[in-house]
Structure formats: C-alpha cells, structure tokens
Amino acid sequence: MNVQTDLGSVMTSVAQAKGLPNAHYISDEVFEEEKQAVLFDQWAGIGVGNDVPEIGDARPVEFLGMPLLVVRDRDGEVGVFQNTCRHRGMILVTEPRKIEGAIRCPYHSWCYSLKGALKSTPHVGGPGRNTHDDIKRSELGLVRIRSHVWNDVIFVNVNGNAAPFEEVHANLLARWAEFDVPMVHGGATSSFKLEVETNWKLAVENYCESYHLPWVHPGLNSYSRLEDHYNIEVPGAYSGQGTLVYRQLKGDAGEVFPDFTTHSKQWDEGAEYIAIYPNVLLGLHRDHFYSIVLEPKSLDRTVEHVEIYYSKEGAASEALTPLRDANATLWEGVFVEDVFVVEGMQKGRQGTFFDGGKFSPEMDGPTHNFHHWVASKVDEARRR
Ligand code: FES
Ligand SMILES: [Fe+2]
C-alpha cells in the first residue's frame, strides 16, 4: 500500500542529491508512513513542562491522532501516558485541569495515581466489592509513553524503540553543555502559536538555513548578514545555522536580560538556531532561549508552539516584563515572516514536474542533512 518513493536520490551527497519527492508532502500514505518511521519511532516533541507547571496539572495532547496525557506528579516529574482507561478504553482527561486526588475515569470510576498506577476499581467484584482475583491492579496501570524532558521540551518516543535520548542527542548536549542551567519561562506573552498551512517538514527545512535571510527577513539582515552565519550539520541528529553577530535587546534605559551563565567568548556575540530532528526548533542566545514544537495536525497543517525562556537570575522579574514582551513581539514578527515561504513551498509541491529540487552545495547543506535523515528513517522502516 505504500507509495514507494525514490529515496536513493535523497541519500547521497548534497551536491548530487535531490530533495524528498513530492509524495512526502502531499500523499496521505507517505504521511502515515512518516508518522511511524519519522515521528513515533524517534524522540518527537509534544509540548513543554511549562504546560503543566504545578503538581497535579494534567494536560491532554493529541499527537497525530494518538491521545496522550501529560501529568506533573507529586515528585514534580513530568510523565506521559496513553490517555485511555485500561477498563473499557474510555478517554480519561479531555481538558487541561488540576488533578486533586487521582485520575478518575468518568465511566466506571477506576482511579489511577499521578504515576499511572491503578489504585481503585469500585464494584469490580460485584456490588460492594472493589476487588476481584482476576483484576490484577499491578498489571493494569496506565500505559506509560517513554518521555524525556530537556530544556523544558517534552520529547516522547511513542513506539518505545529509540535509543535513549541522551545517546541520540549526545552531540547536541555536549555542544550546548555550558547552558545546562535552570531556565525560567518568560510568562504569558512568551508563549504563542502560529498555525500554518504546510507539511511540518517544510517548517524544519526553512528553519535550518540562513540562505533566505536577505529576502525573507530584511530587518534581521540589516545587522546580521549572510556572511555572518555558518552552517551547522550533524548527520543523523540535527542541523541549523549560527550567527556571529547576535546583539542583545536593550530597553529604553539600556537594560538587558541577565545572562544564563558565565559563558565562553563565542557566545558574547554568537547565537545558534538548531532543528533537533524530527520536529523541534531551538534558538540559543547568551540571555534567552526559545523552543518551537511543531505539531503536525495533518499532511498540510502544522501548529508551531513557541515558548521563550530566560535566566533564573532575575530575568523574569517584573521590571523586565516590557523587555520580555518586546522580545516576544520581535520573534513573533520574524516567525510570521517565514509563513508565506513554508506555505508557498507546500503549494509548489503540487507541481507534478517538481523533482525534489536542486540544493546549493554551499547554502542548503543543513536542509539536505534533514532530508537525508528523513529518507534514512523511512528507508530503515521499509526494510524492516
Ligand atoms: S472505561 Fe474507565 S472505568 Fe470503565
Ligand atoms: Fe526564516
């Protein structure tokens, strides 16, 4: 049933390679195939810890049709479960809310702890009897989905078959190790989303490269020119771009955000923008960090969830609220500038004679790196 697209021409060097065939953007069958091979088999982002800030907070998330429940338990840890009751399959939580006692199924009241353990089963052994020998509670806890939180992003490996997160992303963890410090979310305005009519991969592909800056982001380009950027390409894991001329945002009185940490010199005027495969886009600066979790709604609809973070040392103070708001507005403006290209590339892929395109060996390497990764994951799954 699968459309057997030609991936050989994608998995070669950037100078020779074509992009992914059109079917990877416009075919429902390939979308389903990628859902398993590229999203459920990998560590995909589904949200952030800030979505469930307090103990007992629970938030249902539908990830590519799969009902998930994100919970912050009594230890303050984030857990992810299948949002389905083990009894007769009722959906458990339908709105974000605070769980006071247990997660109670609204159908027959089976109750689960915040760690997913089945705690009570009223009348399961007949009226007035809450136990039955055949109902082994220890075997009927909520199905836990493998998850890992890094920089507040909640990653899940739905199919449970990926190598550990720290192993898959060892390279990036080492690259940004000096910023492995506590961060705080910037508050209400530091959280926003954009709905775009595009396949989620095109948002990744556009994010990776700086080639488009002069035309799509003339404002940015006025101080951060093409030649001030470098490509970032790590096969099998991530790609993106870095700048050498990051300038801190300044308020009217010359105030700036405090730095995350004592950083090495590279970060004085450097910043990096990295797409961690498959679907999370990150931006790291000396004084703020953001994540964009791409939520694939369907073949050609994606929601970009943006969250901005600051140093624990006073950056979230009342006094800096206007500066945080200005920073959020600035980034939103930049991300909005990208919408017409990601939507335009989606439309362009209806052109029957488009053959995946031709990469610039100098400028499109990071995007090709992503295509190569997608193609390898789909290819591996096809061989299995
Ligand atoms: S379906 Fe949940 S208790 Fe019956
Ligand atoms: Fe852009």
Short mmCIF file of all heavy atoms in Angstrom, two decimals, residues 168-224:
data_model
loop_
_atom_site.label_atom_id
_atom_site.label_comp_id
_atom_site.label_asym_id
_atom_site.label_seq_id
_atom_site.Cartn_x
_atom_site.Cartn_y
_atom_site.Cartn_z
N VAL A 168 21.03 9.50 21.67
CA VAL A 168 20.69 10.01 20.34
C VAL A 168 21.20 11.45 20.19
O VAL A 168 21.68 11.84 19.13
CB VAL A 168 19.15 9.97 20.12
CG1 VAL A 168 18.77 10.62 18.80
CG2 VAL A 168 18.65 8.53 20.19
N HIS A 169 21.09 12.22 21.27
CA HIS A 169 21.43 13.64 21.17
C HIS A 169 22.69 14.03 21.94
O HIS A 169 22.85 15.19 22.33
CB HIS A 169 20.22 14.49 21.56
CG HIS A 169 19.14 14.38 20.52
ND1 HIS A 169 19.34 14.78 19.22
CD2 HIS A 169 17.90 13.85 20.57
CE1 HIS A 169 18.26 14.51 18.51
NE2 HIS A 169 17.37 13.95 19.29
N ALA A 170 23.58 13.05 22.13
CA ALA A 170 24.82 13.30 22.87
C ALA A 170 25.59 14.48 22.28
O ALA A 170 26.12 15.33 23.00
CB ALA A 170 25.69 12.05 22.86
N ASN A 171 25.62 14.56 20.96
CA ASN A 171 26.39 15.61 20.31
C ASN A 171 25.86 17.00 20.66
O ASN A 171 26.62 17.90 21.03
CB ASN A 171 26.36 15.37 18.79
CG ASN A 171 27.27 16.32 18.06
OD1 ASN A 171 27.06 17.54 18.11
ND2 ASN A 171 28.27 15.81 17.36
N LEU A 172 24.55 17.18 20.59
CA LEU A 172 23.97 18.50 20.89
C LEU A 172 24.07 18.82 22.39
O LEU A 172 24.34 19.96 22.78
CB LEU A 172 22.51 18.56 20.43
CG LEU A 172 21.81 19.91 20.61
CD1 LEU A 172 22.56 21.04 19.94
CD2 LEU A 172 20.37 19.85 20.10
N LEU A 173 23.89 17.80 23.22
CA LEU A 173 24.01 18.01 24.67
C LEU A 173 25.42 18.52 25.01
O LEU A 173 25.58 19.40 25.85
CB LEU A 173 23.69 16.72 25.42
CG LEU A 173 22.23 16.56 25.89
CD1 LEU A 173 21.21 16.74 24.79
CD2 LEU A 173 22.02 15.22 26.58
N ALA A 174 26.41 17.96 24.34
CA ALA A 174 27.79 18.39 24.59
C ALA A 174 28.02 19.78 24.01
O ALA A 174 28.63 20.64 24.64
CB ALA A 174 28.75 17.39 23.97
N ARG A 175 27.47 20.02 22.82
CA ARG A 175 27.66 21.31 22.17
C ARG A 175 27.16 22.47 23.03
O ARG A 175 27.80 23.52 23.12
CB ARG A 175 26.89 21.29 20.84
CG ARG A 175 27.01 22.55 20.03
CD ARG A 175 26.08 22.51 18.81
NE ARG A 175 26.47 23.54 17.87
CZ ARG A 175 27.15 23.32 16.75
NH1 ARG A 175 27.49 22.11 16.40
NH2 ARG A 175 27.48 24.33 15.97
N TRP A 176 26.01 22.25 23.67
CA TRP A 176 25.40 23.32 24.45
C TRP A 176 25.54 23.09 25.97
O TRP A 176 24.78 23.64 26.77
CB TRP A 176 23.91 23.44 24.10
CG TRP A 176 23.66 24.14 22.79
CD1 TRP A 176 24.59 24.69 21.96
CD2 TRP A 176 22.39 24.35 22.16
NE1 TRP A 176 23.99 25.24 20.85
CE2 TRP A 176 22.63 25.05 20.94
CE3 TRP A 176 21.07 24.03 22.49
CZ2 TRP A 176 21.60 25.43 20.07
CZ3 TRP A 176 20.05 24.41 21.62
CH2 TRP A 176 20.32 25.10 20.42
N ALA A 177 26.52 22.27 26.35
CA ALA A 177 26.64 21.87 27.76
C ALA A 177 26.74 23.07 28.70
O ALA A 177 26.20 23.05 29.81
CB ALA A 177 27.83 20.95 27.96
N GLU A 178 27.41 24.13 28.27
CA GLU A 178 27.58 25.25 29.21
C GLU A 178 26.25 25.95 29.53
O GLU A 178 26.17 26.70 30.51
CB GLU A 178 28.64 26.24 28.72
CG GLU A 178 28.32 26.94 27.43
CD GLU A 178 29.53 27.77 26.94
OE1 GLU A 178 29.78 28.82 27.55
OE2 GLU A 178 30.18 27.38 25.96
N PHE A 179 25.24 25.68 28.73
CA PHE A 179 23.93 26.28 29.02
C PHE A 179 22.99 25.31 29.73
O PHE A 179 21.79 25.52 29.77
CB PHE A 179 23.28 26.80 27.74
CG PHE A 179 23.98 28.02 27.21
CD1 PHE A 179 24.96 27.90 26.25
CD2 PHE A 179 23.67 29.27 27.72
CE1 PHE A 179 25.64 29.02 25.78
CE2 PHE A 179 24.34 30.40 27.25
CZ PHE A 179 25.32 30.28 26.29
N ASP A 180 23.56 24.26 30.28
CA ASP A 180 22.76 23.29 31.02
C ASP A 180 22.51 23.83 32.43
O ASP A 180 23.01 23.32 33.42
CB ASP A 180 23.50 21.95 31.06
CG ASP A 180 22.62 20.84 31.62
OD1 ASP A 180 21.39 21.07 31.74
OD2 ASP A 180 23.16 19.77 31.93
N VAL A 181 21.77 24.92 32.49
CA VAL A 181 21.48 25.60 33.76
C VAL A 181 19.96 25.82 33.84
O VAL A 181 19.29 25.77 32.81
CB VAL A 181 22.19 26.99 33.81
CG1 VAL A 181 23.69 26.82 33.87
CG2 VAL A 181 21.80 27.85 32.61
N PRO A 182 19.43 26.05 35.05
CA PRO A 182 17.98 26.26 35.15
C PRO A 182 17.54 27.49 34.34
O PRO A 182 18.25 28.49 34.29
CB PRO A 182 17.75 26.49 36.64
CG PRO A 182 18.97 25.99 37.32
CD PRO A 182 20.10 26.12 36.35
N MET A 183 16.39 27.36 33.69
CA MET A 183 15.83 28.47 32.93
C MET A 183 14.42 28.71 33.44
O MET A 183 13.79 27.79 33.94
CB MET A 183 15.70 28.09 31.46
CG MET A 183 16.98 27.68 30.80
SD MET A 183 16.63 27.24 29.08
CE MET A 183 18.30 27.06 28.48
N VAL A 184 13.94 29.92 33.29
CA VAL A 184 12.54 30.16 33.66
C VAL A 184 11.77 30.65 32.44
O VAL A 184 12.30 31.38 31.60
CB VAL A 184 12.39 31.18 34.82
CG1 VAL A 184 12.85 30.58 36.13
CG2 VAL A 184 13.13 32.45 34.52
N HIS A 185 10.52 30.25 32.40
CA HIS A 185 9.67 30.66 31.29
C HIS A 185 9.36 32.15 31.44
O HIS A 185 9.20 32.66 32.56
CB HIS A 185 8.39 29.84 31.30
CG HIS A 185 7.54 30.04 30.09
ND1 HIS A 185 6.58 31.02 30.02
CD2 HIS A 185 7.55 29.42 28.89
CE1 HIS A 185 6.01 30.97 28.82
NE2 HIS A 185 6.58 30.01 28.12
N GLY A 186 9.27 32.86 30.32
CA GLY A 186 9.08 34.30 30.36
C GLY A 186 7.68 34.78 30.69
O GLY A 186 7.44 35.99 30.76
N GLY A 187 6.72 33.88 30.89
CA GLY A 187 5.37 34.31 31.24
C GLY A 187 4.43 34.33 30.04
O GLY A 187 4.81 33.92 28.94
N ALA A 188 3.21 34.83 30.28
CA ALA A 188 2.13 34.69 29.29
C ALA A 188 2.53 35.09 27.86
O ALA A 188 2.26 34.35 26.91
CB ALA A 188 0.92 35.48 29.75
N THR A 189 3.18 36.25 27.70
CA THR A 189 3.45 36.69 26.33
C THR A 189 4.61 35.91 25.68
O THR A 189 4.82 36.00 24.48
CB THR A 189 3.78 38.20 26.27
OG1 THR A 189 4.88 38.45 27.15
CG2 THR A 189 2.58 39.05 26.66
N SER A 190 5.33 35.13 26.50
CA SER A 190 6.44 34.34 25.96
C SER A 190 5.97 32.98 25.44
O SER A 190 6.77 32.08 25.23
CB SER A 190 7.50 34.12 27.04
OG SER A 190 8.06 35.35 27.42
N SER A 191 4.68 32.87 25.26
CA SER A 191 4.08 31.63 24.82
C SER A 191 3.09 31.99 23.72
O SER A 191 2.13 32.72 23.98
CB SER A 191 3.36 31.05 26.04
OG SER A 191 2.95 29.76 25.84
N PHE A 192 3.34 31.58 22.51
CA PHE A 192 2.37 31.88 21.45
C PHE A 192 2.46 30.82 20.37
O PHE A 192 3.39 30.02 20.35
CB PHE A 192 2.57 33.29 20.86
CG PHE A 192 3.96 33.55 20.32
CD1 PHE A 192 4.26 33.30 18.99
CD2 PHE A 192 4.98 34.06 21.13
CE1 PHE A 192 5.53 33.55 18.48
CE2 PHE A 192 6.25 34.32 20.63
CZ PHE A 192 6.53 34.06 19.30
N LYS A 193 1.43 30.78 19.51
CA LYS A 193 1.48 29.76 18.46
C LYS A 193 1.07 30.35 17.11
O LYS A 193 0.35 31.34 17.05
CB LYS A 193 0.61 28.57 18.82
CG LYS A 193 -0.85 28.88 19.01
CD LYS A 193 -1.61 27.61 19.42
CE LYS A 193 -3.08 27.92 19.60
NZ LYS A 193 -3.87 26.75 19.98
N LEU A 194 1.58 29.70 16.08
CA LEU A 194 1.24 30.10 14.71
C LEU A 194 0.68 28.88 14.00
O LEU A 194 1.25 27.78 14.11
CB LEU A 194 2.50 30.55 13.95
CG LEU A 194 3.30 31.72 14.51
CD1 LEU A 194 4.54 31.97 13.66
CD2 LEU A 194 2.44 32.98 14.54
N GLU A 195 -0.42 29.07 13.29
CA GLU A 195 -0.99 27.95 12.53
C GLU A 195 -0.63 28.15 11.08
O GLU A 195 -0.89 29.20 10.51
CB GLU A 195 -2.50 27.92 12.73
CG GLU A 195 -2.82 27.71 14.20
CD GLU A 195 -4.29 27.42 14.51
OE1 GLU A 195 -5.05 27.15 13.55
OE2 GLU A 195 -4.63 27.48 15.70
N VAL A 196 0.01 27.16 10.51
CA VAL A 196 0.48 27.31 9.13
C VAL A 196 -0.02 26.17 8.26
O VAL A 196 -0.11 25.03 8.71
CB VAL A 196 2.02 27.44 9.05
CG1 VAL A 196 2.47 28.80 9.53
CG2 VAL A 196 2.72 26.38 9.87
N GLU A 197 -0.31 26.51 7.01
CA GLU A 197 -0.83 25.51 6.08
C GLU A 197 0.33 24.90 5.35
O GLU A 197 0.63 25.27 4.19
CB GLU A 197 -1.78 26.18 5.08
CG GLU A 197 -2.80 27.07 5.73
CD GLU A 197 -4.21 26.57 5.51
OE1 GLU A 197 -4.53 26.25 4.35
OE2 GLU A 197 -4.98 26.51 6.50
N THR A 198 1.01 24.01 6.03
CA THR A 198 2.16 23.38 5.42
C THR A 198 2.44 22.05 6.09
O THR A 198 2.01 21.82 7.22
CB THR A 198 3.41 24.29 5.54
OG1 THR A 198 4.45 23.78 4.72
CG2 THR A 198 3.92 24.37 6.98
N ASN A 199 3.15 21.20 5.38
CA ASN A 199 3.64 19.97 5.99
C ASN A 199 4.71 20.37 7.02
O ASN A 199 5.55 21.23 6.75
CB ASN A 199 4.22 19.07 4.90
CG ASN A 199 4.72 17.75 5.45
OD1 ASN A 199 5.87 17.64 5.89
ND2 ASN A 199 3.88 16.74 5.43
N TRP A 200 4.73 19.70 8.15
CA TRP A 200 5.63 20.08 9.25
C TRP A 200 7.10 20.09 8.81
O TRP A 200 7.90 20.89 9.30
CB TRP A 200 5.43 19.15 10.45
CG TRP A 200 5.79 17.71 10.19
CD1 TRP A 200 4.98 16.76 9.63
CD2 TRP A 200 7.04 17.08 10.44
NE1 TRP A 200 5.67 15.57 9.52
CE2 TRP A 200 6.93 15.74 10.02
CE3 TRP A 200 8.25 17.52 10.99
CZ2 TRP A 200 7.98 14.83 10.12
CZ3 TRP A 200 9.29 16.62 11.09
CH2 TRP A 200 9.15 15.29 10.66
N LYS A 201 7.47 19.22 7.88
CA LYS A 201 8.88 19.14 7.48
C LYS A 201 9.37 20.43 6.81
O LYS A 201 10.54 20.80 6.94
CB LYS A 201 9.12 17.96 6.52
CG LYS A 201 8.90 16.59 7.16
CD LYS A 201 9.40 15.46 6.29
CE LYS A 201 8.73 15.38 4.94
NZ LYS A 201 7.25 15.21 4.99
N LEU A 202 8.47 21.11 6.12
CA LEU A 202 8.90 22.34 5.45
C LEU A 202 9.26 23.42 6.47
O LEU A 202 10.12 24.27 6.22
CB LEU A 202 7.82 22.83 4.48
CG LEU A 202 7.67 21.93 3.23
CD1 LEU A 202 6.43 22.32 2.44
CD2 LEU A 202 8.91 22.00 2.36
N ALA A 203 8.63 23.38 7.64
CA ALA A 203 9.00 24.34 8.69
C ALA A 203 10.41 24.03 9.19
O ALA A 203 11.19 24.94 9.48
CB ALA A 203 7.98 24.28 9.84
N VAL A 204 10.75 22.75 9.28
CA VAL A 204 12.11 22.37 9.69
C VAL A 204 13.10 22.82 8.61
O VAL A 204 14.13 23.44 8.90
CB VAL A 204 12.23 20.83 9.88
CG1 VAL A 204 13.66 20.44 10.23
CG2 VAL A 204 11.25 20.34 10.94
N GLU A 205 12.76 22.50 7.38
CA GLU A 205 13.69 22.76 6.27
C GLU A 205 14.03 24.24 6.13
O GLU A 205 15.16 24.62 5.84
CB GLU A 205 13.07 22.23 4.97
CG GLU A 205 12.89 20.72 5.02
CD GLU A 205 12.09 20.18 3.85
OE1 GLU A 205 12.06 20.84 2.78
OE2 GLU A 205 11.49 19.11 4.00
N ASN A 206 13.02 25.08 6.35
CA ASN A 206 13.24 26.51 6.25
C ASN A 206 14.03 27.03 7.44
O ASN A 206 14.88 27.91 7.31
CB ASN A 206 11.88 27.21 6.16
CG ASN A 206 12.00 28.72 6.25
OD1 ASN A 206 12.62 29.34 5.40
ND2 ASN A 206 11.42 29.30 7.29
N TYR A 207 13.78 26.44 8.60
CA TYR A 207 14.44 26.90 9.82
C TYR A 207 15.94 26.66 9.80
O TYR A 207 16.73 27.42 10.35
CB TYR A 207 13.83 26.20 11.03
CG TYR A 207 14.27 26.78 12.35
CD1 TYR A 207 13.73 27.98 12.81
CD2 TYR A 207 15.25 26.15 13.12
CE1 TYR A 207 14.15 28.52 14.01
CE2 TYR A 207 15.66 26.70 14.32
CZ TYR A 207 15.11 27.88 14.76
OH TYR A 207 15.52 28.43 15.94
N CYS A 208 16.33 25.54 9.14
CA CYS A 208 17.74 25.12 9.14
C CYS A 208 18.67 26.07 8.41
O CYS A 208 19.86 26.05 8.67
CB CYS A 208 17.88 23.80 8.40
SG CYS A 208 17.20 22.41 9.22
N GLU A 209 18.18 26.79 7.46
CA GLU A 209 19.11 27.51 6.58
C GLU A 209 19.03 29.02 6.73
O GLU A 209 17.98 29.58 7.04
CB GLU A 209 18.89 27.08 5.12
CG GLU A 209 17.44 27.08 4.66
CD GLU A 209 17.06 28.26 3.82
OE1 GLU A 209 17.74 29.29 3.89
OE2 GLU A 209 16.06 28.15 3.09
N SER A 210 20.17 29.66 6.50
CA SER A 210 20.21 31.12 6.59
C SER A 210 20.15 31.76 5.19
O SER A 210 20.10 32.98 5.07
CB SER A 210 21.49 31.57 7.29
OG SER A 210 22.62 31.02 6.64
N TYR A 211 20.14 30.93 4.16
CA TYR A 211 20.15 31.39 2.76
C TYR A 211 19.02 32.40 2.49
O TYR A 211 19.19 33.34 1.73
CB TYR A 211 19.99 30.13 1.89
CG TYR A 211 20.22 30.25 0.41
CD1 TYR A 211 20.67 31.42 -0.20
CD2 TYR A 211 20.00 29.13 -0.40
CE1 TYR A 211 20.86 31.47 -1.57
CE2 TYR A 211 20.20 29.18 -1.77
CZ TYR A 211 20.62 30.36 -2.35
OH TYR A 211 20.81 30.40 -3.69
N HIS A 212 17.87 32.21 3.14
CA HIS A 212 16.71 33.05 2.83
C HIS A 212 16.70 34.39 3.57
O HIS A 212 15.83 35.23 3.31
CB HIS A 212 15.41 32.29 3.12
CG HIS A 212 15.15 32.01 4.58
ND1 HIS A 212 15.77 31.02 5.31
CD2 HIS A 212 14.31 32.62 5.47
CE1 HIS A 212 15.32 31.01 6.56
NE2 HIS A 212 14.44 31.97 6.70
N LEU A 213 17.64 34.59 4.48
CA LEU A 213 17.58 35.80 5.32
C LEU A 213 17.46 37.12 4.55
O LEU A 213 16.62 37.95 4.89
CB LEU A 213 18.78 35.86 6.27
CG LEU A 213 18.86 34.79 7.36
CD1 LEU A 213 20.05 35.06 8.28
CD2 LEU A 213 17.59 34.74 8.19
N PRO A 214 18.28 37.36 3.52
CA PRO A 214 18.23 38.68 2.88
C PRO A 214 16.86 39.03 2.31
O PRO A 214 16.48 40.20 2.31
CB PRO A 214 19.25 38.56 1.74
CG PRO A 214 20.11 37.41 2.09
CD PRO A 214 19.29 36.48 2.93
N TRP A 215 16.11 38.02 1.87
CA TRP A 215 14.85 38.32 1.20
C TRP A 215 13.64 38.18 2.08
O TRP A 215 12.66 38.90 1.96
CB TRP A 215 14.72 37.43 -0.05
CG TRP A 215 15.94 37.60 -0.88
CD1 TRP A 215 16.25 38.65 -1.69
CD2 TRP A 215 17.08 36.72 -0.90
NE1 TRP A 215 17.50 38.48 -2.22
CE2 TRP A 215 18.03 37.32 -1.76
CE3 TRP A 215 17.38 35.50 -0.29
CZ2 TRP A 215 19.27 36.72 -2.01
CZ3 TRP A 215 18.60 34.91 -0.54
CH2 TRP A 215 19.54 35.52 -1.39
N VAL A 216 13.70 37.22 3.00
CA VAL A 216 12.53 36.95 3.83
C VAL A 216 12.58 37.75 5.14
O VAL A 216 11.55 38.12 5.69
CB VAL A 216 12.39 35.42 4.09
CG1 VAL A 216 11.24 35.12 5.03
CG2 VAL A 216 12.21 34.69 2.76
N HIS A 217 13.80 38.03 5.62
CA HIS A 217 13.94 38.77 6.88
C HIS A 217 14.83 40.00 6.68
O HIS A 217 15.93 40.07 7.27
CB HIS A 217 14.56 37.87 7.95
CG HIS A 217 13.83 36.58 8.16
ND1 HIS A 217 12.55 36.51 8.68
CD2 HIS A 217 14.20 35.30 7.90
CE1 HIS A 217 12.18 35.23 8.75
NE2 HIS A 217 13.16 34.48 8.27
N PRO A 218 14.40 40.96 5.90
CA PRO A 218 15.25 42.12 5.64
C PRO A 218 15.63 42.85 6.93
O PRO A 218 16.73 43.40 7.03
CB PRO A 218 14.41 43.00 4.71
CG PRO A 218 13.03 42.46 4.76
CD PRO A 218 13.11 41.04 5.18
N GLY A 219 14.76 42.83 7.91
CA GLY A 219 15.04 43.51 9.18
C GLY A 219 16.24 42.88 9.88
O GLY A 219 17.21 43.55 10.25
N LEU A 220 16.19 41.58 10.03
CA LEU A 220 17.31 40.85 10.65
C LEU A 220 18.58 41.06 9.85
O LEU A 220 19.67 41.25 10.38
CB LEU A 220 17.04 39.33 10.62
CG LEU A 220 16.18 38.69 11.69
CD1 LEU A 220 16.19 37.18 11.48
CD2 LEU A 220 16.70 39.03 13.07
N ASN A 221 18.40 41.00 8.54
CA ASN A 221 19.56 41.03 7.65
C ASN A 221 20.29 42.37 7.69
O ASN A 221 21.45 42.46 7.31
CB ASN A 221 19.10 40.72 6.22
CG ASN A 221 20.26 40.36 5.32
OD1 ASN A 221 20.91 39.36 5.55
ND2 ASN A 221 20.52 41.21 4.35
N SER A 222 19.62 43.42 8.20
CA SER A 222 20.27 44.73 8.22
C SER A 222 21.49 44.73 9.14
O SER A 222 22.42 45.48 8.94
CB SER A 222 19.26 45.81 8.65
OG SER A 222 18.84 45.56 9.97
N TYR A 223 21.47 43.87 10.18
CA TYR A 223 22.67 43.83 11.04
C TYR A 223 23.30 42.45 11.06
O TYR A 223 24.42 42.28 11.50
CB TYR A 223 22.33 44.29 12.46
CG TYR A 223 21.34 43.42 13.19
CD1 TYR A 223 21.77 42.34 13.96
CD2 TYR A 223 19.97 43.67 13.11
CE1 TYR A 223 20.85 41.53 14.61
CE2 TYR A 223 19.06 42.87 13.75
CZ TYR A 223 19.50 41.79 14.50
OH TYR A 223 18.61 40.99 15.15
N SER A 224 22.56 41.45 10.59
CA SER A 224 23.07 40.09 10.63
C SER A 224 23.03 39.57 9.21
O SER A 224 22.02 39.08 8.74
CB SER A 224 22.15 39.29 11.57
OG SER A 224 22.46 37.94 11.55
#
